[in-house]
Amino acid sequence: MTSLSTNPYKGTRDYYPREKRIQNYIFNIWARTVKQFGYEEYGAPMLEPLEVYTAKSGDELAGEQTYRFTDRGERQVAIRPEMTPSISRMVAAKRQELAYPARLFSIANFMRYERPQRGREREFWQMNVDMFGAAGVQADAEIITLGFETMKAFGATPNMYSIKVNSRTLIDAMMQDYLGLDPIQAPLMVKLFDRKNKISNEDFRDQAIEIFGVDNAKEGLGKIAKLLIAKEISSLPSELSEHETVAELSSLFEVLQQRGVTNVQFDITLMRGFDYYTGTVFEFFDSHPDNNRAMFGGGRYDGLVGLFGAEPISAVGMAPGLSPIELFLESHNLLPEFASTTELYMATLDESLIPQAYDLASQLRSEKVNVELDFTGRKLDKQIKTAVKKQIPYVVFIGENEVKSQKFNVKNTKTGEEEAVVFERLVTLVKDKRHNYSVDDNDLFE
Amino acid sequence: MTSLSTNPYKGTRDYYPREKRIQNYIFNIWARTVKQFGYEEYGAPMLEPLEVYTAKSGDELAGEQTYRFTDRGERQVAIRPEMTPSISRMVAAKRQELAYPARLFSIANFMRYERPQRGREREFWQMNVDMFGAAGVQADAEIITLGFETMKAFGATPNMYSIKVNSRTLIDAMMQDYLGLDPIQAPLMVKLFDRKNKISNEDFRDQAIEIFGVDNAKEGLGKIAKLLIAKEISSLPSELSEHETVAELSSLFEVLQQRGVTNVQFDITLMRGFDYYTGTVFEFFDSHPDNNRAMFGGGRYDGLVGLFGAEPISAVGMAPGLSPIELFLESHNLLPEFASTTELYMATLDESLIPQAYDLASQLRSEKVNVELDFTGRKLDKQIKTAVKKQIPYVVFIGENEVKSQKFNVKNTKTGEEEAVVFERLVTLVKDKRHNYSVDDNDLFE
């Protein structure tokens, strides 16, 4: 019989304890931060009816990127490629019972057909943070502030990244009123702007000419040039600067400044891919030269809940992803060193002492120390080696003398130092060492 | 346009914050308990190549119950119906790098085609706890003890449930040596024993006769009758009592007794469905009359890692499921009352005070209080109603007087009591209320 492959499925990752610690660290900081702002956790199914995505997510995502299949009951289903349609469905289902503004978050995995590359997997994890039932600047500001506060909690300073902001209503005005595009041309131009940083200036120009048509191309390109030099909202061309959204965005920038969110900038070229956005959109960009890319984004999508037969409910949210944040933290040297969640390895010198060792381990566990008991009866150096390999900070040795004297030799696996201690000191020694990055009493799953 | 359905996909559940709190409570107790025994968390992909399951999981699971489809690269894939094959694959992949015994756990969701019913969904959550690289009684005892300790951490006492234990090697001896069944008859008889509690005595008898064949039926049934009266391992028929597994199981029961695991009983009829088990098997049974059923189980599966081309590695594990545990806790009245993770709702009397309210909220957040700020400018009673509906323990009111005097009126949303307090007292008031079920500094995602 040929043996089975040990590789994970294409584009997915196995998280061994070392990788899982990093994942948990990021999840934990996310959850702690948004819970401090009053967001409550929810969970949604990994499968949804396919139509939930075809209705509004944008062609590429619903069509080419979604894992879809027909189930045994002949239902068209999809593995969720994103969370926004699921949480919109959930809010629509309990529209009457929920209290507003509803502040909700989740941390979950998703799947999309992607060409796997650094920081982009077919199975990926992200947090979704959304506020339902509140329109306006304060709501938009809170979501962007949350993004800023999660980054701060990772140790990031504002110079390490920037927050680009635009608005769908301004984009619409720009496409229709300012550039004079019709309903067929406008979405093509949005897609072209969306790809702007991925193609050459020549390609952008050529494709823009194609959209404008030869007769209008010269005037259109001139107007685009004027747009692109507007690095601040106040320097927009006069045809756009009177638009009501401009005042709203100015007010948004002001609130963000007050809250210390200083690395925000207006960016008229920011489009965001999803079809469901209706107002403010934003993206967090890594400023590191090795990793100059969008990390995550979000925006306002006031129409999505209404697709589920409920009255429309205002909604704004964002979705930071695990892999982009991990790359960011690596690039900026912000990832702490992680030890095992196991704090003490108990090496037993003689198998006959296992019952006594077990009792001591139980006492330590009731003091909330995480103890791994080695009952293998192997040579001592092998037991120590196991503890070191597992990155467990301390080893304690249990022999006949230790059991009699109730004094225990403890070895620090990093420094090699050894110390003979009584039970109480053993507890404090281990607890003092605990997670210096730590998240103490405010964790996820609480 | 017809609107989209708000129902989740068949057999799946939406977890709104109220339901998610219960889920998190259970996940947290599980994770905390197994981490105290030195188990480290890992994660595996939600999709696996289909062959991972067809190789060894048992016909029904791999064939009829698995969500399988062909991906765009013409690969046969499955949404994981269980974790054991995935973690076996992962251990095989890093066989050389891992330190043994490897103690590993995960909490994850799975899918199976099931007829949805109370406590059984198509998407379900479970913890998997496994030890690799340790054979023998101590390893088996540790896994069963972990099951017992998780139940204890939920407040369950031994009389509320029982732990039934058997062994695949004993089952084999029973089928071949004792009942004299051939390799075709034996698996049929195993399946019949597995269904024993779900069918009538007459049906069991009839089907047993069919397996034995008319000539051997009388003798066979007599032997089965002798088996079924053996409620303890010491009262097994003499043909089996000499088997080496009997001594091992006796020793296992002794170790468990020493550790306070008093509700264990030998059960020769316990089979466990999966084909991969090779030694000790066990199941935790709810004793409540309304919910008399198997909650979860586990066992030894020494051959599975070897299927992935690595040398065989001993393995033993268990997998408690969320829904069965939730039903158990409900039946036995063990579920605590949960408040929101948000601890304080900040009602603002005037929209112009939002900047000051935000600053106060920030100060509270840096004291690790979870604060939701109401910036809607609604009438005060509406703001309070929102806090009550969200089950947030306290509301604080921010008006001009409060900002000036730095004394804040706080209302307990459950008792209705109000108190005027300074900042420091506000912090301690809220923190004292915190999660009486709590899990403090030892949570998941750490």
Short mmCIF file of all heavy atoms in Angstrom, two decimals, chain A residues 445, chain B residues 21-34 107 127 146-158 160-161 284 295-296 318 320-330 332-336 338 437-439:
data_model
loop_
_atom_site.label_atom_id
_atom_site.label_comp_id
_atom_site.label_asym_id
_atom_site.label_seq_id
_atom_site.Cartn_x
_atom_site.Cartn_y
_atom_site.Cartn_z
N PHE A 445 -12.54 33.94 24.77
CA PHE A 445 -13.21 32.76 25.32
C PHE A 445 -13.60 33.00 26.76
O PHE A 445 -13.74 32.06 27.53
CB PHE A 445 -12.33 31.51 25.24
CG PHE A 445 -12.25 30.96 23.86
CD1 PHE A 445 -11.51 29.83 23.59
CD2 PHE A 445 -12.93 31.56 22.81
CE1 PHE A 445 -11.44 29.30 22.32
CE2 PHE A 445 -12.87 31.04 21.54
CZ PHE A 445 -12.11 29.92 21.30
N ARG B 21 -21.36 33.08 24.45
CA ARG B 21 -20.82 33.11 25.81
C ARG B 21 -20.76 31.70 26.40
O ARG B 21 -19.82 31.34 27.09
CB ARG B 21 -21.70 33.96 26.72
CG ARG B 21 -21.60 35.44 26.46
CD ARG B 21 -22.67 36.19 27.27
NE ARG B 21 -23.02 37.42 26.60
CZ ARG B 21 -24.15 38.10 26.79
NH1 ARG B 21 -25.06 37.64 27.65
NH2 ARG B 21 -24.38 39.21 26.15
N ILE B 22 -21.81 30.91 26.14
CA ILE B 22 -21.83 29.53 26.65
C ILE B 22 -20.75 28.72 25.95
O ILE B 22 -20.00 27.97 26.58
CB ILE B 22 -23.23 28.90 26.40
CG1 ILE B 22 -24.29 29.69 27.17
CG2 ILE B 22 -23.23 27.42 26.79
CD1 ILE B 22 -25.71 29.26 26.85
N GLN B 23 -20.67 28.89 24.64
CA GLN B 23 -19.62 28.19 23.89
C GLN B 23 -18.24 28.54 24.44
O GLN B 23 -17.43 27.65 24.70
CB GLN B 23 -19.73 28.58 22.40
CG GLN B 23 -18.90 27.69 21.49
CD GLN B 23 -18.81 28.24 20.07
OE1 GLN B 23 -18.41 29.38 19.86
NE2 GLN B 23 -19.16 27.41 19.10
N ASN B 24 -18.00 29.83 24.63
CA ASN B 24 -16.68 30.25 25.12
C ASN B 24 -16.40 29.72 26.52
O ASN B 24 -15.27 29.37 26.84
CB ASN B 24 -16.57 31.78 25.12
CG ASN B 24 -16.31 32.32 23.73
OD1 ASN B 24 -16.08 31.55 22.79
ND2 ASN B 24 -16.36 33.63 23.58
N TYR B 25 -17.43 29.69 27.35
CA TYR B 25 -17.27 29.15 28.70
C TYR B 25 -16.78 27.70 28.64
O TYR B 25 -15.81 27.33 29.31
CB TYR B 25 -18.60 29.24 29.45
CG TYR B 25 -18.64 28.50 30.76
CD1 TYR B 25 -17.97 29.00 31.88
CD2 TYR B 25 -19.35 27.31 30.89
CE1 TYR B 25 -18.01 28.32 33.09
CE2 TYR B 25 -19.39 26.62 32.10
CZ TYR B 25 -18.72 27.13 33.19
OH TYR B 25 -18.76 26.45 34.38
N ILE B 26 -17.44 26.92 27.79
CA ILE B 26 -17.05 25.50 27.67
C ILE B 26 -15.66 25.36 27.06
O ILE B 26 -14.81 24.62 27.57
CB ILE B 26 -18.12 24.73 26.86
CG1 ILE B 26 -19.44 24.69 27.66
CG2 ILE B 26 -17.65 23.32 26.50
CD1 ILE B 26 -20.64 24.15 26.91
N PHE B 27 -15.40 26.10 26.00
CA PHE B 27 -14.06 26.04 25.37
C PHE B 27 -12.98 26.41 26.39
O PHE B 27 -11.90 25.82 26.43
CB PHE B 27 -13.97 27.04 24.20
CG PHE B 27 -14.73 26.64 22.97
CD1 PHE B 27 -14.81 27.49 21.88
CD2 PHE B 27 -15.38 25.41 22.89
CE1 PHE B 27 -15.51 27.14 20.73
CE2 PHE B 27 -16.08 25.05 21.74
CZ PHE B 27 -16.14 25.93 20.67
N ASN B 28 -13.29 27.42 27.18
CA ASN B 28 -12.31 27.94 28.11
C ASN B 28 -11.99 26.94 29.21
O ASN B 28 -10.82 26.73 29.57
CB ASN B 28 -12.86 29.23 28.71
CG ASN B 28 -11.76 30.17 29.06
OD1 ASN B 28 -10.62 29.75 29.22
ND2 ASN B 28 -12.07 31.44 29.20
N ILE B 29 -13.01 26.29 29.75
CA ILE B 29 -12.80 25.28 30.79
C ILE B 29 -11.99 24.12 30.21
O ILE B 29 -11.06 23.62 30.83
CB ILE B 29 -14.15 24.77 31.33
CG1 ILE B 29 -14.91 25.89 32.03
CG2 ILE B 29 -13.95 23.55 32.24
CD1 ILE B 29 -14.76 25.98 33.51
N TRP B 30 -12.36 23.69 29.03
CA TRP B 30 -11.60 22.62 28.37
C TRP B 30 -10.13 22.98 28.24
O TRP B 30 -9.24 22.23 28.64
CB TRP B 30 -12.14 22.38 26.96
CG TRP B 30 -13.36 21.55 26.86
CD1 TRP B 30 -13.92 20.75 27.81
CD2 TRP B 30 -14.21 21.42 25.69
NE1 TRP B 30 -15.04 20.14 27.32
CE2 TRP B 30 -15.24 20.52 26.03
CE3 TRP B 30 -14.18 21.96 24.40
CZ2 TRP B 30 -16.24 20.16 25.11
CZ3 TRP B 30 -15.17 21.61 23.51
CH2 TRP B 30 -16.19 20.72 23.86
N ALA B 31 -9.90 24.15 27.63
CA ALA B 31 -8.52 24.54 27.32
C ALA B 31 -7.70 24.72 28.59
O ALA B 31 -6.56 24.27 28.69
CB ALA B 31 -8.51 25.83 26.49
N ARG B 32 -8.31 25.37 29.58
CA ARG B 32 -7.60 25.61 30.82
C ARG B 32 -7.20 24.28 31.47
O ARG B 32 -6.08 24.11 31.93
CB ARG B 32 -8.49 26.40 31.77
CG ARG B 32 -7.83 26.73 33.07
CD ARG B 32 -8.75 27.49 34.00
NE ARG B 32 -9.93 26.71 34.36
CZ ARG B 32 -10.82 27.08 35.28
NH1 ARG B 32 -10.67 28.23 35.90
NH2 ARG B 32 -11.84 26.32 35.55
N THR B 33 -8.14 23.33 31.48
CA THR B 33 -7.87 22.05 32.14
C THR B 33 -6.74 21.29 31.45
O THR B 33 -5.81 20.81 32.10
CB THR B 33 -9.15 21.19 32.18
OG1 THR B 33 -10.20 21.95 32.79
CG2 THR B 33 -8.92 19.91 32.96
N VAL B 34 -6.81 21.18 30.15
CA VAL B 34 -5.78 20.37 29.48
C VAL B 34 -4.43 21.09 29.46
O VAL B 34 -3.38 20.44 29.50
CB VAL B 34 -6.21 19.90 28.07
CG1 VAL B 34 -7.48 19.06 28.17
CG2 VAL B 34 -6.38 21.04 27.09
N ILE B 107 -9.30 22.93 19.53
CA ILE B 107 -10.75 23.11 19.60
C ILE B 107 -11.17 23.59 18.22
O ILE B 107 -10.66 24.61 17.75
CB ILE B 107 -11.14 24.13 20.70
CG1 ILE B 107 -10.77 23.56 22.07
CG2 ILE B 107 -12.63 24.46 20.63
CD1 ILE B 107 -10.99 24.50 23.24
N MET B 127 -13.35 19.47 21.26
CA MET B 127 -11.94 19.54 21.61
C MET B 127 -11.33 18.18 21.30
O MET B 127 -11.95 17.15 21.54
CB MET B 127 -11.77 19.85 23.09
CG MET B 127 -10.28 19.75 23.53
SD MET B 127 -9.95 20.39 25.19
CE MET B 127 -10.72 19.14 26.22
N LEU B 146 -8.09 13.31 32.24
CA LEU B 146 -8.38 14.62 31.67
C LEU B 146 -9.87 14.81 31.42
O LEU B 146 -10.42 15.89 31.68
CB LEU B 146 -7.65 14.78 30.33
CG LEU B 146 -6.21 15.22 30.39
CD1 LEU B 146 -5.63 15.25 28.99
CD2 LEU B 146 -6.12 16.62 31.01
N GLY B 147 -10.51 13.76 30.90
CA GLY B 147 -11.96 13.82 30.72
C GLY B 147 -12.65 14.08 32.05
O GLY B 147 -13.51 14.96 32.15
N PHE B 148 -12.22 13.33 33.06
CA PHE B 148 -12.79 13.48 34.41
C PHE B 148 -12.55 14.90 34.95
O PHE B 148 -13.44 15.53 35.51
CB PHE B 148 -12.13 12.44 35.33
CG PHE B 148 -12.62 12.48 36.75
CD1 PHE B 148 -13.76 11.78 37.13
CD2 PHE B 148 -11.93 13.19 37.72
CE1 PHE B 148 -14.21 11.79 38.45
CE2 PHE B 148 -12.37 13.22 39.04
CZ PHE B 148 -13.51 12.52 39.40
N GLU B 149 -11.34 15.42 34.76
CA GLU B 149 -11.00 16.75 35.29
C GLU B 149 -11.76 17.86 34.57
O GLU B 149 -12.12 18.86 35.20
CB GLU B 149 -9.49 16.99 35.20
CG GLU B 149 -8.66 16.10 36.14
CD GLU B 149 -8.86 16.44 37.62
OE1 GLU B 149 -9.19 17.61 37.94
OE2 GLU B 149 -8.71 15.54 38.47
N THR B 150 -11.98 17.71 33.26
CA THR B 150 -12.78 18.73 32.58
C THR B 150 -14.20 18.73 33.15
O THR B 150 -14.77 19.79 33.41
CB THR B 150 -12.87 18.53 31.05
OG1 THR B 150 -13.42 17.26 30.75
CG2 THR B 150 -11.52 18.65 30.39
N MET B 151 -14.76 17.54 33.40
CA MET B 151 -16.12 17.46 33.95
C MET B 151 -16.17 18.09 35.35
O MET B 151 -17.09 18.83 35.68
CB MET B 151 -16.59 16.00 34.01
CG MET B 151 -16.72 15.32 32.65
SD MET B 151 -17.79 16.18 31.47
CE MET B 151 -19.40 15.81 32.16
N LYS B 152 -15.14 17.82 36.13
CA LYS B 152 -15.05 18.39 37.47
C LYS B 152 -14.98 19.92 37.41
O LYS B 152 -15.61 20.61 38.22
CB LYS B 152 -13.79 17.82 38.15
CG LYS B 152 -13.66 18.09 39.62
CD LYS B 152 -12.53 17.23 40.17
CE LYS B 152 -11.81 17.88 41.33
NZ LYS B 152 -10.59 17.11 41.68
N ALA B 153 -14.24 20.42 36.45
CA ALA B 153 -14.10 21.87 36.30
C ALA B 153 -15.44 22.53 35.93
O ALA B 153 -15.65 23.71 36.20
CB ALA B 153 -13.04 22.20 35.25
N PHE B 154 -16.33 21.77 35.32
CA PHE B 154 -17.68 22.29 35.03
C PHE B 154 -18.60 22.19 36.25
O PHE B 154 -19.75 22.60 36.20
CB PHE B 154 -18.33 21.49 33.89
CG PHE B 154 -17.76 21.77 32.53
CD1 PHE B 154 -17.19 20.76 31.78
CD2 PHE B 154 -17.80 23.06 32.00
CE1 PHE B 154 -16.67 21.02 30.52
CE2 PHE B 154 -17.28 23.32 30.73
CZ PHE B 154 -16.71 22.30 30.00
N GLY B 155 -18.11 21.58 37.33
CA GLY B 155 -18.93 21.41 38.52
C GLY B 155 -19.63 20.06 38.58
O GLY B 155 -20.45 19.82 39.47
N ALA B 156 -19.33 19.16 37.66
CA ALA B 156 -19.97 17.84 37.66
C ALA B 156 -19.37 16.96 38.75
O ALA B 156 -18.16 16.97 38.97
CB ALA B 156 -19.79 17.17 36.31
N THR B 157 -20.23 16.20 39.43
CA THR B 157 -19.77 15.23 40.42
C THR B 157 -19.85 13.83 39.80
O THR B 157 -20.62 13.62 38.85
CB THR B 157 -20.63 15.31 41.69
OG1 THR B 157 -22.01 15.28 41.31
CG2 THR B 157 -20.35 16.61 42.44
N PRO B 158 -19.06 12.87 40.32
CA PRO B 158 -18.98 11.55 39.67
C PRO B 158 -20.33 10.84 39.53
O PRO B 158 -20.49 10.04 38.60
CB PRO B 158 -18.02 10.77 40.58
CG PRO B 158 -17.19 11.81 41.23
CD PRO B 158 -18.10 12.99 41.42
N MET B 160 -23.01 12.04 38.48
CA MET B 160 -23.80 12.58 37.36
C MET B 160 -23.54 11.86 36.04
O MET B 160 -24.28 12.03 35.08
CB MET B 160 -23.51 14.07 37.18
CG MET B 160 -23.97 14.94 38.34
SD MET B 160 -23.53 16.66 38.03
CE MET B 160 -24.09 17.43 39.55
N TYR B 161 -22.45 11.11 35.99
CA TYR B 161 -22.10 10.44 34.72
C TYR B 161 -21.21 9.24 35.05
O TYR B 161 -20.72 9.11 36.18
CB TYR B 161 -21.38 11.41 33.78
CG TYR B 161 -20.02 11.83 34.26
CD1 TYR B 161 -18.86 11.23 33.77
CD2 TYR B 161 -19.88 12.80 35.25
CE1 TYR B 161 -17.61 11.60 34.23
CE2 TYR B 161 -18.64 13.18 35.72
CZ TYR B 161 -17.52 12.58 35.21
OH TYR B 161 -16.27 12.93 35.67
N PHE B 284 -17.80 8.48 27.95
CA PHE B 284 -18.41 9.15 29.09
C PHE B 284 -19.92 9.19 28.86
O PHE B 284 -20.38 9.73 27.84
CB PHE B 284 -17.86 10.58 29.22
CG PHE B 284 -16.50 10.65 29.87
CD1 PHE B 284 -15.41 9.96 29.35
CD2 PHE B 284 -16.29 11.41 31.03
CE1 PHE B 284 -14.16 10.02 29.94
CE2 PHE B 284 -15.04 11.49 31.63
CZ PHE B 284 -13.97 10.79 31.09
N MET B 295 -21.76 10.88 25.91
CA MET B 295 -21.42 12.28 25.66
C MET B 295 -20.20 12.39 24.75
O MET B 295 -20.16 13.17 23.82
CB MET B 295 -21.13 12.98 26.98
CG MET B 295 -22.36 13.15 27.85
SD MET B 295 -22.00 14.18 29.26
CE MET B 295 -20.96 13.03 30.22
N PHE B 296 -19.18 11.61 25.07
CA PHE B 296 -17.97 11.62 24.24
C PHE B 296 -17.11 10.44 24.62
O PHE B 296 -17.36 9.75 25.60
CB PHE B 296 -17.19 12.93 24.40
CG PHE B 296 -16.64 13.17 25.78
CD1 PHE B 296 -15.36 12.75 26.12
CD2 PHE B 296 -17.40 13.83 26.74
CE1 PHE B 296 -14.84 12.98 27.40
CE2 PHE B 296 -16.89 14.05 28.02
CZ PHE B 296 -15.61 13.63 28.35
N MET B 318 -8.92 11.70 23.14
CA MET B 318 -10.38 11.77 23.32
C MET B 318 -10.88 13.06 22.68
O MET B 318 -10.10 13.96 22.38
CB MET B 318 -10.76 11.74 24.79
CG MET B 318 -10.27 12.95 25.56
SD MET B 318 -11.18 13.19 27.11
CE MET B 318 -10.42 14.73 27.67
N PRO B 320 -14.19 15.43 23.50
CA PRO B 320 -15.50 15.89 23.98
C PRO B 320 -16.12 16.91 23.02
O PRO B 320 -15.41 17.75 22.47
CB PRO B 320 -15.18 16.53 25.34
CG PRO B 320 -13.72 16.85 25.30
CD PRO B 320 -13.08 15.87 24.36
N GLY B 321 -17.42 16.80 22.82
CA GLY B 321 -18.12 17.69 21.89
C GLY B 321 -18.89 18.77 22.62
O GLY B 321 -19.38 18.57 23.74
N LEU B 322 -19.01 19.92 21.97
CA LEU B 322 -19.69 21.07 22.58
C LEU B 322 -21.15 20.80 22.91
O LEU B 322 -21.60 21.01 24.04
CB LEU B 322 -19.59 22.27 21.62
CG LEU B 322 -20.36 23.52 22.02
CD1 LEU B 322 -19.74 24.17 23.25
CD2 LEU B 322 -20.38 24.52 20.87
N SER B 323 -21.92 20.32 21.92
CA SER B 323 -23.36 20.16 22.15
C SER B 323 -23.69 19.14 23.23
O SER B 323 -24.54 19.40 24.08
CB SER B 323 -24.07 19.81 20.84
OG SER B 323 -24.05 20.93 19.99
N PRO B 324 -23.05 17.96 23.22
CA PRO B 324 -23.33 17.01 24.31
C PRO B 324 -23.00 17.58 25.69
O PRO B 324 -23.75 17.37 26.65
CB PRO B 324 -22.42 15.82 23.99
CG PRO B 324 -22.15 15.91 22.53
CD PRO B 324 -22.16 17.37 22.20
N ILE B 325 -21.91 18.33 25.79
CA ILE B 325 -21.55 18.90 27.09
C ILE B 325 -22.55 19.98 27.49
O ILE B 325 -22.98 20.06 28.65
CB ILE B 325 -20.11 19.49 27.05
CG1 ILE B 325 -19.08 18.37 26.87
CG2 ILE B 325 -19.80 20.31 28.30
CD1 ILE B 325 -19.00 17.39 28.01
N GLU B 326 -22.97 20.77 26.51
CA GLU B 326 -23.96 21.81 26.79
C GLU B 326 -25.26 21.18 27.30
O GLU B 326 -25.83 21.64 28.29
CB GLU B 326 -24.21 22.61 25.51
CG GLU B 326 -24.83 23.97 25.77
CD GLU B 326 -25.05 24.76 24.48
OE1 GLU B 326 -24.30 24.56 23.50
OE2 GLU B 326 -25.99 25.56 24.47
N LEU B 327 -25.70 20.10 26.64
CA LEU B 327 -26.90 19.39 27.10
C LEU B 327 -26.71 18.84 28.51
O LEU B 327 -27.61 18.90 29.35
CB LEU B 327 -27.23 18.23 26.15
CG LEU B 327 -27.95 18.58 24.86
CD1 LEU B 327 -28.23 17.31 24.06
CD2 LEU B 327 -29.25 19.32 25.15
N PHE B 328 -25.54 18.28 28.75
CA PHE B 328 -25.23 17.75 30.08
C PHE B 328 -25.33 18.85 31.14
O PHE B 328 -25.99 18.68 32.17
CB PHE B 328 -23.83 17.13 30.09
CG PHE B 328 -23.36 16.68 31.45
CD1 PHE B 328 -23.68 15.42 31.93
CD2 PHE B 328 -22.62 17.53 32.26
CE1 PHE B 328 -23.26 15.01 33.19
CE2 PHE B 328 -22.20 17.13 33.52
CZ PHE B 328 -22.52 15.86 33.99
N LEU B 329 -24.69 19.98 30.86
CA LEU B 329 -24.68 21.08 31.84
C LEU B 329 -26.08 21.63 32.06
O LEU B 329 -26.45 21.95 33.20
CB LEU B 329 -23.73 22.19 31.38
CG LEU B 329 -22.25 21.80 31.25
CD1 LEU B 329 -21.42 22.97 30.73
CD2 LEU B 329 -21.69 21.31 32.58
N GLU B 330 -26.87 21.69 31.00
CA GLU B 330 -28.27 22.12 31.14
C GLU B 330 -29.07 21.13 31.99
O GLU B 330 -29.75 21.53 32.94
CB GLU B 330 -28.93 22.20 29.76
CG GLU B 330 -28.80 23.56 29.10
CD GLU B 330 -29.32 23.53 27.67
OE1 GLU B 330 -30.08 22.60 27.32
OE2 GLU B 330 -28.94 24.43 26.90
N HIS B 332 -28.17 19.04 34.20
CA HIS B 332 -27.75 18.98 35.60
C HIS B 332 -27.70 20.36 36.24
O HIS B 332 -27.17 20.51 37.34
CB HIS B 332 -26.40 18.27 35.71
CG HIS B 332 -26.44 16.84 35.30
ND1 HIS B 332 -26.78 15.83 36.17
CD2 HIS B 332 -26.23 16.25 34.10
CE1 HIS B 332 -26.75 14.67 35.53
NE2 HIS B 332 -26.42 14.90 34.27
N ASN B 333 -28.22 21.35 35.52
CA ASN B 333 -28.30 22.69 36.07
C ASN B 333 -26.93 23.25 36.46
O ASN B 333 -26.79 23.86 37.52
CB ASN B 333 -29.23 22.65 37.29
CG ASN B 333 -30.09 23.89 37.36
OD1 ASN B 333 -30.01 24.75 36.48
ND2 ASN B 333 -30.88 23.99 38.41
N LEU B 334 -25.98 23.03 35.61
CA LEU B 334 -24.60 23.45 35.92
C LEU B 334 -24.14 24.66 35.12
O LEU B 334 -23.00 25.08 35.25
CB LEU B 334 -23.63 22.29 35.68
CG LEU B 334 -23.70 21.11 36.66
CD1 LEU B 334 -22.82 19.97 36.17
CD2 LEU B 334 -23.27 21.54 38.06
N LEU B 335 -25.02 25.20 34.27
CA LEU B 335 -24.59 26.36 33.47
C LEU B 335 -24.73 27.64 34.29
O LEU B 335 -25.81 27.96 34.78
CB LEU B 335 -25.43 26.49 32.20
CG LEU B 335 -24.95 25.76 30.96
CD1 LEU B 335 -25.88 26.05 29.79
CD2 LEU B 335 -23.52 26.11 30.59
N PRO B 336 -23.64 28.40 34.45
CA PRO B 336 -23.73 29.68 35.17
C PRO B 336 -24.57 30.67 34.36
O PRO B 336 -24.83 30.46 33.18
CB PRO B 336 -22.28 30.16 35.24
CG PRO B 336 -21.44 29.09 34.69
CD PRO B 336 -22.29 28.17 33.91
N PHE B 338 -24.61 34.08 32.47
CA PHE B 338 -23.56 34.89 31.88
C PHE B 338 -24.02 36.31 31.63
O PHE B 338 -25.11 36.53 31.11
CB PHE B 338 -23.12 34.29 30.55
CG PHE B 338 -22.55 32.92 30.68
CD1 PHE B 338 -23.32 31.80 30.41
CD2 PHE B 338 -21.25 32.74 31.10
CE1 PHE B 338 -22.80 30.53 30.54
CE2 PHE B 338 -20.71 31.47 31.24
CZ PHE B 338 -21.49 30.36 30.96
N TYR B 437 -17.91 33.17 37.49
CA TYR B 437 -17.51 31.83 37.03
C TYR B 437 -16.08 31.81 36.58
O TYR B 437 -15.60 30.82 36.07
CB TYR B 437 -18.41 31.39 35.87
CG TYR B 437 -18.24 32.25 34.64
CD1 TYR B 437 -17.24 31.95 33.71
CD2 TYR B 437 -19.02 33.38 34.42
CE1 TYR B 437 -17.06 32.74 32.60
CE2 TYR B 437 -18.83 34.17 33.32
CZ TYR B 437 -17.86 33.84 32.41
OH TYR B 437 -17.66 34.63 31.32
N SER B 438 -15.35 32.86 36.80
CA SER B 438 -14.28 33.27 35.89
C SER B 438 -13.08 32.34 35.81
O SER B 438 -12.90 31.41 36.57
CB SER B 438 -13.81 34.67 36.19
OG SER B 438 -12.91 35.06 35.19
N VAL B 439 -12.30 32.65 34.86
CA VAL B 439 -11.23 31.82 34.36
C VAL B 439 -9.92 32.56 34.41
O VAL B 439 -8.91 32.06 33.93
CB VAL B 439 -11.56 31.46 32.91
CG1 VAL B 439 -12.51 30.29 32.86
CG2 VAL B 439 -12.21 32.64 32.23
#
